[in-house]
Amino acid sequence: MHFLACDVTSQLIELPISQSGSADIVLGKPQAQEAFDANNSSIKEAFASSNKQLTLMPLGDWGNTIWRNLPSQLAILTDNPLESSLIAAPANRFQNETSMNLWQWLVEHSDEFSVSANEISASSIKDQFPDLAPTDSSMPDWLRSACNNLNLKNANSGPDAIAIKAGLFQIHGDLETSHEYAQDCQGKGRYAAGDYWHGIMHRREPDYGNSKYWFRRVGEHPIFDDLSTQASTILKACASPLAHQWSDRLTANGTGHGWDPMAFVDLCETCATSQDKQLIEAVKQIQWAEMMLLLAQTYCDAQ
């Protein structure tokens, strides 16, 4: 198999597919080359087991969080798959494609690829996380349309299905559209997921007091224990001198049990005026963990 490094914005027509000759290809960010080299035999085995069909192979914790906990139809809308996976394909799969973005192509062909069950031993390659207070709400038209038109199979809970859309637009930084969907399912759903997304929206707006109001409405939530554990791990690896004290505030004295969403609002407010880049990056990772856990829980609640 031949590894082709490509940028997350690559158009299919720009991919150097001719370099692979007749060999099957694996697409990935340049940072994924190491994972490809270290897992070459496992990748070949996984691709063979899929009958050499288009196969997505999650990498690291973030990749597994997205692709193991969400159906492909939803996972593909969450993040560019090159941020969290390798993509194996037959040699000639993309040769006649137009100048379409690879991510867009995968969204439009989400029923044509499978997610490998094989574990690929690799560190996460995702290195860009959404801002704590986004200023750019623009989304590609094709992605906006796909999120608006998402129709999940077996979604029996109307409010939670709506909350999934609130989550997708929140993840992509369109706070206004996320807000509209959150309001449409306000106070409804198994665990009031719309209210949780509403709280995140105001935290990022930022309107910290309003955010706390919505988190008080949410109360205890099923993702809190896992979020506490992940936040504790992220802050433990953070070199900021403030990381330890914030870990104590957020996660019951750093034990990784229990979560204080009000303290996280305070931390995000602190980051808004801080020059502590290490702390800010850690908090962005915690926010990403929160949104991924909440999206997975919202999906489960929608069933």
Side-chain angles (χ1 to χ4, degrees), residues 159-170 174-189 192-202 214 217:
D160 287 311
I162 293 171
I164 287 173
K165 294 183 180 182
L168 286 172
F169 281 98
Q170 189 60 231
D174 185 344
L175 274 58
E176 182 177 351
T177 304
S178 176
H179 191 202
E180 291 171 358
Y181 277 120
Q183 288 178 315
D184 286 344
C185 56
Q186 179 176 316
K188 300 175 182 177
D195 291 357
Y196 199 134
W197 289 112
H198 204 151
I200 293 176
M201 190 285 298
H202 283 301
W214 286 99
R217 285 183 57 126

mmCIF file of all heavy atoms in Angstrom, residues 159-170 174-189 192-202 214 217:
data_model
loop_
_atom_site.group_PDB
_atom_site.id
_atom_site.type_symbol
_atom_site.label_atom_id
_atom_site.label_comp_id
_atom_site.label_asym_id
_atom_site.label_seq_id
_atom_site.Cartn_x
_atom_site.Cartn_y
_atom_site.Cartn_z
ATOM 1 N N PRO A 159 -36.886 15.449 20.313
ATOM 2 C CA PRO A 159 -36.068 16.498 20.937
ATOM 3 C C PRO A 159 -34.573 16.197 20.912
ATOM 4 O O PRO A 159 -33.759 17.091 20.666
ATOM 5 C CB PRO A 159 -36.603 16.543 22.375
ATOM 6 C CG PRO A 159 -38.007 16.047 22.265
ATOM 7 C CD PRO A 159 -37.968 14.990 21.209
ATOM 8 N N ASP A 160 -34.204 14.938 21.152
ATOM 9 C CA ASP A 160 -32.780 14.611 21.157
ATOM 10 C C ASP A 160 -32.199 14.622 19.745
ATOM 11 O O ASP A 160 -31.023 14.964 19.552
ATOM 12 C CB ASP A 160 -32.542 13.260 21.838
ATOM 13 C CG ASP A 160 -32.712 13.343 23.349
ATOM 14 O OD1 ASP A 160 -32.127 14.259 23.951
ATOM 15 O OD2 ASP A 160 -33.436 12.515 23.919
ATOM 16 N N ALA A 161 -33.009 14.262 18.750
ATOM 17 C CA ALA A 161 -32.550 14.354 17.361
ATOM 18 C C ALA A 161 -32.295 15.808 16.983
ATOM 19 O O ALA A 161 -31.330 16.123 16.269
ATOM 20 C CB ALA A 161 -33.578 13.726 16.423
ATOM 21 N N ILE A 162 -33.143 16.700 17.469
ATOM 22 C CA ILE A 162 -32.928 18.134 17.237
ATOM 23 C C ILE A 162 -31.663 18.600 17.956
ATOM 24 O O ILE A 162 -30.866 19.380 17.425
ATOM 25 C CB ILE A 162 -34.150 18.943 17.714
ATOM 26 C CG1 ILE A 162 -35.370 18.624 16.842
ATOM 27 C CG2 ILE A 162 -33.854 20.446 17.685
ATOM 28 C CD1 ILE A 162 -36.669 19.214 17.361
ATOM 29 N N ALA A 163 -31.466 18.092 19.172
ATOM 30 C CA ALA A 163 -30.290 18.485 19.957
ATOM 31 C C ALA A 163 -28.993 18.057 19.274
ATOM 32 O O ALA A 163 -27.958 18.714 19.433
ATOM 33 C CB ALA A 163 -30.371 17.893 21.362
ATOM 34 N N ILE A 164 -29.026 16.959 18.519
ATOM 35 C CA ILE A 164 -27.840 16.544 17.764
ATOM 36 C C ILE A 164 -27.439 17.638 16.782
ATOM 37 O O ILE A 164 -26.257 17.958 16.626
ATOM 38 C CB ILE A 164 -28.108 15.215 17.030
ATOM 39 C CG1 ILE A 164 -28.135 14.055 18.030
ATOM 40 C CG2 ILE A 164 -27.048 14.966 15.952
ATOM 41 C CD1 ILE A 164 -28.567 12.733 17.429
ATOM 42 N N LYS A 165 -28.422 18.248 16.132
ATOM 43 C CA LYS A 165 -28.116 19.326 15.183
ATOM 44 C C LYS A 165 -27.590 20.555 15.921
ATOM 45 O O LYS A 165 -26.679 21.241 15.432
ATOM 46 C CB LYS A 165 -29.355 19.660 14.357
ATOM 47 C CG LYS A 165 -29.793 18.514 13.445
ATOM 48 C CD LYS A 165 -30.981 18.891 12.577
ATOM 49 C CE LYS A 165 -31.385 17.723 11.675
ATOM 50 N NZ LYS A 165 -32.511 18.069 10.779
ATOM 51 N N ALA A 166 -28.141 20.821 17.111
ATOM 52 C CA ALA A 166 -27.592 21.912 17.927
ATOM 53 C C ALA A 166 -26.119 21.647 18.210
ATOM 54 O O ALA A 166 -25.284 22.559 18.184
ATOM 55 C CB ALA A 166 -28.377 22.042 19.233
ATOM 56 N N GLY A 167 -25.794 20.377 18.463
ATOM 57 C CA GLY A 167 -24.415 20.004 18.742
ATOM 58 C C GLY A 167 -23.513 20.156 17.537
ATOM 59 O O GLY A 167 -22.399 20.687 17.637
ATOM 60 N N LEU A 168 -23.964 19.708 16.381
ATOM 61 C CA LEU A 168 -23.130 19.797 15.180
ATOM 62 C C LEU A 168 -22.787 21.249 14.849
ATOM 63 O O LEU A 168 -21.628 21.578 14.553
ATOM 64 C CB LEU A 168 -23.846 19.143 13.994
ATOM 65 C CG LEU A 168 -23.898 17.611 14.008
ATOM 66 C CD1 LEU A 168 -24.800 17.105 12.892
ATOM 67 C CD2 LEU A 168 -22.499 17.011 13.870
ATOM 68 N N PHE A 169 -23.786 22.115 14.906
ATOM 69 C CA PHE A 169 -23.508 23.518 14.583
ATOM 70 C C PHE A 169 -22.644 24.171 15.662
ATOM 71 O O PHE A 169 -21.828 25.047 15.366
ATOM 72 C CB PHE A 169 -24.813 24.286 14.370
ATOM 73 C CG PHE A 169 -25.409 24.050 13.010
ATOM 74 C CD1 PHE A 169 -26.428 23.127 12.825
ATOM 75 C CD2 PHE A 169 -24.928 24.730 11.898
ATOM 76 C CE1 PHE A 169 -26.962 22.889 11.567
ATOM 77 C CE2 PHE A 169 -25.451 24.502 10.629
ATOM 78 C CZ PHE A 169 -26.472 23.577 10.463
ATOM 79 N N GLN A 170 -22.792 23.726 16.903
ATOM 80 C CA GLN A 170 -21.938 24.243 17.969
ATOM 81 C C GLN A 170 -20.489 23.820 17.740
ATOM 82 O O GLN A 170 -19.558 24.619 17.880
ATOM 83 C CB GLN A 170 -22.421 23.724 19.324
ATOM 84 C CG GLN A 170 -21.745 24.372 20.514
ATOM 85 C CD GLN A 170 -21.963 25.871 20.546
ATOM 86 O OE1 GLN A 170 -21.006 26.633 20.679
ATOM 87 N NE2 GLN A 170 -23.204 26.308 20.397
ATOM 88 N N ASP A 174 -20.963 27.681 14.580
ATOM 89 C CA ASP A 174 -22.116 28.495 14.193
ATOM 90 C C ASP A 174 -23.050 28.582 15.399
ATOM 91 O O ASP A 174 -24.002 27.810 15.533
ATOM 92 C CB ASP A 174 -22.831 27.883 12.989
ATOM 93 C CG ASP A 174 -23.977 28.763 12.478
ATOM 94 O OD1 ASP A 174 -24.414 29.665 13.213
ATOM 95 O OD2 ASP A 174 -24.440 28.534 11.348
ATOM 96 N N LEU A 175 -22.753 29.513 16.273
ATOM 97 C CA LEU A 175 -23.479 29.612 17.537
ATOM 98 C C LEU A 175 -24.944 29.985 17.327
ATOM 99 O O LEU A 175 -25.820 29.505 18.053
ATOM 100 C CB LEU A 175 -22.799 30.634 18.457
ATOM 101 C CG LEU A 175 -21.651 30.108 19.329
ATOM 102 C CD1 LEU A 175 -20.539 29.506 18.491
ATOM 103 C CD2 LEU A 175 -21.096 31.216 20.218
ATOM 104 N N GLU A 176 -25.213 30.824 16.349
ATOM 105 C CA GLU A 176 -26.591 31.277 16.135
ATOM 106 C C GLU A 176 -27.501 30.120 15.730
ATOM 107 O O GLU A 176 -28.586 29.940 16.291
ATOM 108 C CB GLU A 176 -26.628 32.368 15.067
ATOM 109 C CG GLU A 176 -28.025 32.923 14.820
ATOM 110 C CD GLU A 176 -28.041 34.061 13.810
ATOM 111 O OE1 GLU A 176 -26.954 34.543 13.430
ATOM 112 O OE2 GLU A 176 -29.146 34.465 13.397
ATOM 113 N N THR A 177 -27.057 29.312 14.760
ATOM 114 C CA THR A 177 -27.886 28.192 14.326
ATOM 115 C C THR A 177 -27.998 27.149 15.427
ATOM 116 O O THR A 177 -29.071 26.567 15.652
ATOM 117 C CB THR A 177 -27.308 27.554 13.046
ATOM 118 O OG1 THR A 177 -27.182 28.557 12.041
ATOM 119 C CG2 THR A 177 -28.215 26.443 12.536
ATOM 120 N N SER A 178 -26.903 26.905 16.140
ATOM 121 C CA SER A 178 -26.947 25.981 17.274
ATOM 122 C C SER A 178 -27.962 26.457 18.308
ATOM 123 O O SER A 178 -28.739 25.661 18.857
ATOM 124 C CB SER A 178 -25.556 25.874 17.913
ATOM 125 O OG SER A 178 -25.593 25.060 19.071
ATOM 126 N N HIS A 179 -27.966 27.749 18.559
ATOM 127 C CA HIS A 179 -28.897 28.337 19.526
ATOM 128 C C HIS A 179 -30.346 28.088 19.107
ATOM 129 O O HIS A 179 -31.200 27.721 19.927
ATOM 130 C CB HIS A 179 -28.618 29.839 19.624
ATOM 131 C CG HIS A 179 -29.303 30.518 20.759
ATOM 132 N ND1 HIS A 179 -29.560 31.875 20.775
ATOM 133 C CD2 HIS A 179 -29.801 30.042 21.934
ATOM 134 C CE1 HIS A 179 -30.176 32.199 21.897
ATOM 135 N NE2 HIS A 179 -30.332 31.108 22.615
ATOM 136 N N GLU A 180 -30.617 28.255 17.819
ATOM 137 C CA GLU A 180 -31.984 28.053 17.325
ATOM 138 C C GLU A 180 -32.438 26.614 17.536
ATOM 139 O O GLU A 180 -33.567 26.363 17.985
ATOM 140 C CB GLU A 180 -32.048 28.422 15.841
ATOM 141 C CG GLU A 180 -31.874 29.915 15.581
ATOM 142 C CD GLU A 180 -31.727 30.241 14.103
ATOM 143 O OE1 GLU A 180 -31.731 29.282 13.284
ATOM 144 O OE2 GLU A 180 -31.603 31.433 13.766
ATOM 145 N N TYR A 181 -31.566 25.663 17.226
ATOM 146 C CA TYR A 181 -31.930 24.258 17.432
ATOM 147 C C TYR A 181 -32.088 23.945 18.918
ATOM 148 O O TYR A 181 -32.993 23.196 19.319
ATOM 149 C CB TYR A 181 -30.877 23.341 16.808
ATOM 150 C CG TYR A 181 -31.063 23.109 15.324
ATOM 151 C CD1 TYR A 181 -30.073 23.465 14.411
ATOM 152 C CD2 TYR A 181 -32.224 22.520 14.829
ATOM 153 C CE1 TYR A 181 -30.233 23.245 13.049
ATOM 154 C CE2 TYR A 181 -32.394 22.300 13.467
ATOM 155 C CZ TYR A 181 -31.403 22.662 12.584
ATOM 156 O OH TYR A 181 -31.576 22.443 11.238
ATOM 157 N N ALA A 182 -31.212 24.506 19.756
ATOM 158 C CA ALA A 182 -31.308 24.260 21.197
ATOM 159 C C ALA A 182 -32.625 24.791 21.752
ATOM 160 O O ALA A 182 -33.260 24.154 22.611
ATOM 161 C CB ALA A 182 -30.123 24.905 21.916
ATOM 162 N N GLN A 183 -33.048 25.938 21.263
ATOM 163 C CA GLN A 183 -34.323 26.500 21.718
ATOM 164 C C GLN A 183 -35.501 25.638 21.276
ATOM 165 O O GLN A 183 -36.514 25.556 21.978
ATOM 166 C CB GLN A 183 -34.480 27.925 21.182
ATOM 167 C CG GLN A 183 -33.566 28.933 21.865
ATOM 168 C CD GLN A 183 -33.709 30.326 21.283
ATOM 169 O OE1 GLN A 183 -33.747 30.499 20.063
ATOM 170 N NE2 GLN A 183 -33.779 31.327 22.143
ATOM 171 N N ASP A 184 -35.358 24.985 20.119
ATOM 172 C CA ASP A 184 -36.448 24.148 19.607
ATOM 173 C C ASP A 184 -36.710 22.922 20.481
ATOM 174 O O ASP A 184 -37.786 22.323 20.395
ATOM 175 C CB ASP A 184 -36.135 23.684 18.176
ATOM 176 C CG ASP A 184 -36.295 24.799 17.156
ATOM 177 O OD1 ASP A 184 -36.918 25.825 17.493
ATOM 178 O OD2 ASP A 184 -35.788 24.646 16.023
ATOM 179 N N CYS A 185 -35.714 22.522 21.280
ATOM 180 C CA CYS A 185 -35.912 21.341 22.137
ATOM 181 C C CYS A 185 -35.670 21.686 23.608
ATOM 182 O O CYS A 185 -35.344 20.818 24.417
ATOM 183 C CB CYS A 185 -35.012 20.195 21.689
ATOM 184 S SG CYS A 185 -33.247 20.575 21.626
ATOM 185 N N GLN A 186 -35.844 22.935 23.948
ATOM 186 C CA GLN A 186 -35.588 23.423 25.304
ATOM 187 C C GLN A 186 -36.370 22.637 26.355
ATOM 188 O O GLN A 186 -37.578 22.451 26.245
ATOM 189 C CB GLN A 186 -35.978 24.902 25.370
ATOM 190 C CG GLN A 186 -35.792 25.564 26.712
ATOM 191 C CD GLN A 186 -36.106 27.051 26.636
ATOM 192 O OE1 GLN A 186 -35.701 27.730 25.694
ATOM 193 N NE2 GLN A 186 -36.843 27.556 27.613
ATOM 194 N N GLY A 187 -35.646 22.142 27.355
ATOM 195 C CA GLY A 187 -36.287 21.435 28.462
ATOM 196 C C GLY A 187 -36.806 20.056 28.112
ATOM 197 O O GLY A 187 -37.472 19.422 28.934
ATOM 198 N N LYS A 188 -36.494 19.566 26.916
ATOM 199 C CA LYS A 188 -37.018 18.278 26.470
ATOM 200 C C LYS A 188 -35.874 17.294 26.242
ATOM 201 O O LYS A 188 -34.710 17.645 26.297
ATOM 202 C CB LYS A 188 -37.832 18.456 25.184
ATOM 203 C CG LYS A 188 -39.022 19.396 25.335
ATOM 204 C CD LYS A 188 -39.713 19.616 24.001
ATOM 205 C CE LYS A 188 -40.867 20.595 24.129
ATOM 206 N NZ LYS A 188 -41.509 20.874 22.812
ATOM 207 N N GLY A 189 -36.244 16.047 25.967
ATOM 208 C CA GLY A 189 -35.236 15.020 25.749
ATOM 209 C C GLY A 189 -34.919 14.278 27.029
ATOM 210 O O GLY A 189 -35.270 14.705 28.133
ATOM 211 N N ALA A 192 -32.188 16.419 28.712
ATOM 212 C CA ALA A 192 -32.198 17.845 28.349
ATOM 213 C C ALA A 192 -30.923 18.244 27.610
ATOM 214 O O ALA A 192 -30.278 19.245 27.935
ATOM 215 C CB ALA A 192 -32.391 18.715 29.593
ATOM 216 N N ALA A 193 -30.573 17.456 26.587
ATOM 217 C CA ALA A 193 -29.341 17.731 25.839
ATOM 218 C C ALA A 193 -29.359 19.108 25.200
ATOM 219 O O ALA A 193 -28.329 19.788 25.122
ATOM 220 C CB ALA A 193 -29.128 16.657 24.771
ATOM 221 N N GLY A 194 -30.536 19.536 24.742
ATOM 222 C CA GLY A 194 -30.629 20.861 24.139
ATOM 223 C C GLY A 194 -30.223 21.951 25.114
ATOM 224 O O GLY A 194 -29.572 22.936 24.737
ATOM 225 N N ASP A 195 -30.589 21.778 26.387
ATOM 226 C CA ASP A 195 -30.210 22.759 27.403
ATOM 227 C C ASP A 195 -28.699 22.751 27.637
ATOM 228 O O ASP A 195 -28.089 23.802 27.880
ATOM 229 C CB ASP A 195 -30.942 22.470 28.718
ATOM 230 C CG ASP A 195 -32.439 22.741 28.623
ATOM 231 O OD1 ASP A 195 -32.897 23.207 27.556
ATOM 232 O OD2 ASP A 195 -33.152 22.481 29.609
ATOM 233 N N TYR A 196 -28.095 21.563 27.568
ATOM 234 C CA TYR A 196 -26.642 21.480 27.733
ATOM 235 C C TYR A 196 -25.949 22.203 26.576
ATOM 236 O O TYR A 196 -25.038 23.018 26.784
ATOM 237 C CB TYR A 196 -26.206 20.014 27.801
ATOM 238 C CG TYR A 196 -24.830 19.791 28.403
ATOM 239 C CD1 TYR A 196 -24.619 18.803 29.358
ATOM 240 C CD2 TYR A 196 -23.729 20.553 28.007
ATOM 241 C CE1 TYR A 196 -23.355 18.591 29.913
ATOM 242 C CE2 TYR A 196 -22.471 20.352 28.544
ATOM 243 C CZ TYR A 196 -22.288 19.368 29.495
ATOM 244 O OH TYR A 196 -21.042 19.168 30.030
ATOM 245 N N TRP A 197 -26.375 21.920 25.340
ATOM 246 C CA TRP A 197 -25.785 22.622 24.197
ATOM 247 C C TRP A 197 -26.045 24.123 24.304
ATOM 248 O O TRP A 197 -25.201 24.940 23.906
ATOM 249 C CB TRP A 197 -26.344 22.076 22.885
ATOM 250 C CG TRP A 197 -25.865 20.700 22.543
ATOM 251 C CD1 TRP A 197 -26.608 19.551 22.503
ATOM 252 C CD2 TRP A 197 -24.521 20.310 22.192
ATOM 253 N NE1 TRP A 197 -25.820 18.476 22.154
ATOM 254 C CE2 TRP A 197 -24.534 18.914 21.957
ATOM 255 C CE3 TRP A 197 -23.324 21.009 22.054
ATOM 256 C CZ2 TRP A 197 -23.391 18.205 21.590
ATOM 257 C CZ3 TRP A 197 -22.177 20.308 21.688
ATOM 258 C CH2 TRP A 197 -22.216 18.925 21.462
ATOM 259 N N HIS A 198 -27.197 24.489 24.856
ATOM 260 C CA HIS A 198 -27.535 25.899 25.067
ATOM 261 C C HIS A 198 -26.519 26.537 26.021
ATOM 262 O O HIS A 198 -26.045 27.660 25.800
ATOM 263 C CB HIS A 198 -28.952 25.987 25.648
ATOM 264 C CG HIS A 198 -29.635 27.289 25.399
ATOM 265 N ND1 HIS A 198 -31.009 27.408 25.288
ATOM 266 C CD2 HIS A 198 -29.149 28.551 25.253
ATOM 267 C CE1 HIS A 198 -31.325 28.676 25.078
ATOM 268 N NE2 HIS A 198 -30.215 29.392 25.059
ATOM 269 N N GLY A 199 -26.171 25.805 27.079
ATOM 270 C CA GLY A 199 -25.186 26.304 28.035
ATOM 271 C C GLY A 199 -23.817 26.483 27.403
ATOM 272 O O GLY A 199 -23.113 27.473 27.665
ATOM 273 N N ILE A 200 -23.416 25.519 26.567
ATOM 274 C CA ILE A 200 -22.131 25.639 25.866
ATOM 275 C C ILE A 200 -22.148 26.852 24.944
ATOM 276 O O ILE A 200 -21.172 27.613 24.860
ATOM 277 C CB ILE A 200 -21.836 24.355 25.066
ATOM 278 C CG1 ILE A 200 -21.587 23.175 26.014
ATOM 279 C CG2 ILE A 200 -20.631 24.558 24.150
ATOM 280 C CD1 ILE A 200 -21.386 21.850 25.303
ATOM 281 N N MET A 201 -23.268 27.052 24.248
ATOM 282 C CA MET A 201 -23.373 28.173 23.320
ATOM 283 C C MET A 201 -23.134 29.497 24.036
ATOM 284 O O MET A 201 -22.327 30.326 23.588
ATOM 285 C CB MET A 201 -24.754 28.164 22.655
ATOM 286 C CG MET A 201 -24.911 29.140 21.488
ATOM 287 S SD MET A 201 -25.093 30.892 21.929
ATOM 288 C CE MET A 201 -26.613 30.837 22.876
ATOM 289 N N HIS A 202 -23.799 29.696 25.177
ATOM 290 C CA HIS A 202 -23.630 30.969 25.884
ATOM 291 C C HIS A 202 -22.238 31.087 26.509
ATOM 292 O O HIS A 202 -21.709 32.199 26.620
ATOM 293 C CB HIS A 202 -24.718 31.125 26.948
ATOM 294 C CG HIS A 202 -26.049 31.505 26.375
ATOM 295 N ND1 HIS A 202 -26.241 32.656 25.644
ATOM 296 C CD2 HIS A 202 -27.261 30.877 26.417
ATOM 297 C CE1 HIS A 202 -27.506 32.731 25.258
ATOM 298 N NE2 HIS A 202 -28.144 31.659 25.705
ATOM 299 N N TRP A 214 -28.125 27.984 32.282
ATOM 300 C CA TRP A 214 -28.516 26.778 31.550
ATOM 301 C C TRP A 214 -27.890 25.524 32.157
ATOM 302 O O TRP A 214 -28.517 24.460 32.178
ATOM 303 C CB TRP A 214 -28.172 26.927 30.068
ATOM 304 C CG TRP A 214 -29.128 27.874 29.415
ATOM 305 C CD1 TRP A 214 -28.931 29.194 29.138
ATOM 306 C CD2 TRP A 214 -30.474 27.586 29.043
ATOM 307 N NE1 TRP A 214 -30.058 29.749 28.603
ATOM 308 C CE2 TRP A 214 -31.032 28.780 28.529
ATOM 309 C CE3 TRP A 214 -31.271 26.444 29.081
ATOM 310 C CZ2 TRP A 214 -32.342 28.860 28.063
ATOM 311 C CZ3 TRP A 214 -32.577 26.511 28.611
ATOM 312 C CH2 TRP A 214 -33.097 27.708 28.108
ATOM 313 N N ARG A 217 -29.988 24.458 34.919
ATOM 314 C CA ARG A 217 -31.177 23.755 34.423
ATOM 315 C C ARG A 217 -30.859 22.300 34.076
ATOM 316 O O ARG A 217 -31.687 21.410 34.269
ATOM 317 C CB ARG A 217 -31.735 24.469 33.184
ATOM 318 C CG ARG A 217 -32.468 25.759 33.487
ATOM 319 C CD ARG A 217 -33.041 26.367 32.211
ATOM 320 N NE ARG A 217 -33.936 25.451 31.507
ATOM 321 C CZ ARG A 217 -35.185 25.747 31.141
ATOM 322 N NH1 ARG A 217 -35.694 26.928 31.440
ATOM 323 N NH2 ARG A 217 -35.920 24.886 30.481
#
